Amino acid sequence: MLTHAFTTERAGARVVFATGCTSRVAAEVDRLGATRVLVVCSPRRGRQAAHFSDLLGARVAGALPIAAEHVPIATVKLALEETDRTRADALLVLGGGSALGLGKAVAAERDVKLIAVPTTYAGSEMTDIYGVTDGGEKRTARSARVRPSLVLYDPALTTALPLPASLGSLYNALAHAVEALWWPEADPIALLAAEHGLRTILDVMPALVAEPTSIVAREQALLGAYLAGVALGETGTGLQHKLAHLLGGSFGLPHAATHAAILPHVVRYNAQAAPDALRCIAKALGVTDAPAGLQALAQRLGIETRLSALGFSLAYVDAAVDKLLATPMQNPRKLERAALRALLAGACGG
Ligand code: NAD
């Protein structure tokens, strides 16, 4: 009997990966045919963005240093107005998943090309997924319109990302790879990217802790982020991401750190329903018990694994479970109230 079935949409982006490649940004923008570029970033990346504006010269239509975590609807409205006002034909987004989320929200509604210059390991640049937070709820959607046309991966831009943020962001990438592994009917190329990404990220995490400014480690980390992003872009998200979004959107928890805290618990929750994924995760960790291996990894890396330390409390468990049960998702194991309560209570304590 045939056991493989999948439907896939290959991303058509141009991807350039090389230390120092962003010095060629003007030539790459010309190659893309963009002439009026709006430079988007978060307020703290303003100085770095100014450097890109200098490199782009007359191609710059304006700057929008207003991106914020979880893409608040107010920033999307401002960005749409600025896109219209400047008649931009492309948005160059410098930053992590939050800044790119703003760019994607604009690209969903306007005819602009997206250029992504990632400075974290979130991997959003390789996906057609975007999300906007409105009235305390982060709603996500998928659209081919929001896939960047050009991605410039320059590991040198990530050396300033502080170690805790780097590890948190790598955990986000790890979560993409893990969820791709248990996605039903995943394209085999996505599975290869997920496996390779998983190994690359697990290998580089201790190296990054030992030497956070090592450009070799930063290259490995960004490569892992790219692979995990490719895997996510061709599959989808289940309990791990839906729970992380819920805890971020409704309870204000930081996205990347939340991924690290819940990952061992979600992997344990899905263990029986996704044996192949569990075997692959355990193999990459070099252990027999994947959830225990993930927990030990976090301890070795000095990562905060208690949701309680991130702003969540046992008192919120029932409200969170109610919301989870109302969230449509594809997950290998059915959502069960008692087991989800146990998962969250366990994650509160680490
Ligand atoms: P982020 O974009 O919120 O950035 C975190 C912080 O790091 C910000 O303050 C930013 O200014 C700072 N920063 C970024 N790069 C830096 C650098 N090189 N040096 C120093 N500081 C730097 O965090 P993130 O983890 O990149 O992204 C998380 C968000 O992305 C979440 O909202 C998540 O939902 C979303 N995301 C979306 C997808 C997708 O496919 N749509 C995929 C992954 C993540």
Side-chain angles (χ1 to χ4, degrees), residues 69-250:
E69 201 175 26
H70 301 309
V71 196
I73 185 77
T75 61
V76 178
K77 287 183 178 154
L78 275 177
L80 285 168
E81 280 168 22
E82 195 60 7
T83 302
D84 294 342
R85 193 189 66 78
T86 59
R87 291 177 291 109
D89 61 2
L91 264 51
L92 181 145
V93 183
L94 172 76
S98 297
L100 189 53
L102 179 59
K104 283 176 156 185
V106 172
E109 296 194 31
R110 294 292 186 274
D111 198 12
V112 288
K113 288 177 177 157
L114 263 191
I115 302 164
V117 184
T119 61
T120 72
Y121 308 118
S124 172
E125 60 284 350
M126 295 314 299
T127 84
D128 59 354
I129 305 167
Y130 68 108
V132 174
T133 301
D134 190 2
E137 302 280 337
K138 186 165 183 179
R139 291 192 193 86
T140 56
R142 300 187 83 140
S143 163
R145 294 176 59 92
V146 309
R147 276 195 192 269
S149 309
L150 170 65
V151 183
L152 300 178
Y153 280 113
D154 186 345
L157 298 183
T158 66
T159 49
L161 188 65
L163 184 62
S166 300
L167 290 176
S169 187
L170 278 175
Y171 259 100
N172 191 1
L174 209 54
H176 304 336
V178 165
E179 293 226 281
L181 287 175
W182 61 44
W183 186 251
E185 303 195 352
D187 168 355
I189 293 179
L191 290 178
L192 285 174
E195 268 189 72
H196 190 173
L198 193 66
R199 278 199 311 276
T200 307
I201 294 164
L202 290 172
D203 282 355
V204 82
M205 280 174 150
L208 209 53
V209 171
E211 206 183 335
T213 54
S214 156
I215 194 67
V216 176
R218 292 291 176 176
E219 279 183 1
Q220 282 286 99
L222 201 55
L223 187 66
Y226 163 64
L227 289 162
V230 167
L232 171 64
E234 303 203 2
T235 56
T237 57
L239 180 58
Q240 171 71 25
H241 283 79
K242 300 292 182 199
L243 181 53
H245 284 151
L246 172 73
L247 295 174
S250 302

Side-chain angles (χ1 to χ4, degrees), residues 4 30 33 37 39 45 58 68 109 135 142 162 172 175 179 190 229 237 273 321 347:
H4 294 287
D30 289 346
V37 181
V39 179
R45 304 256 68 67
E109 296 194 31
R142 300 187 83 140
N172 191 1
E179 293 226 281
T237 57
V321 171

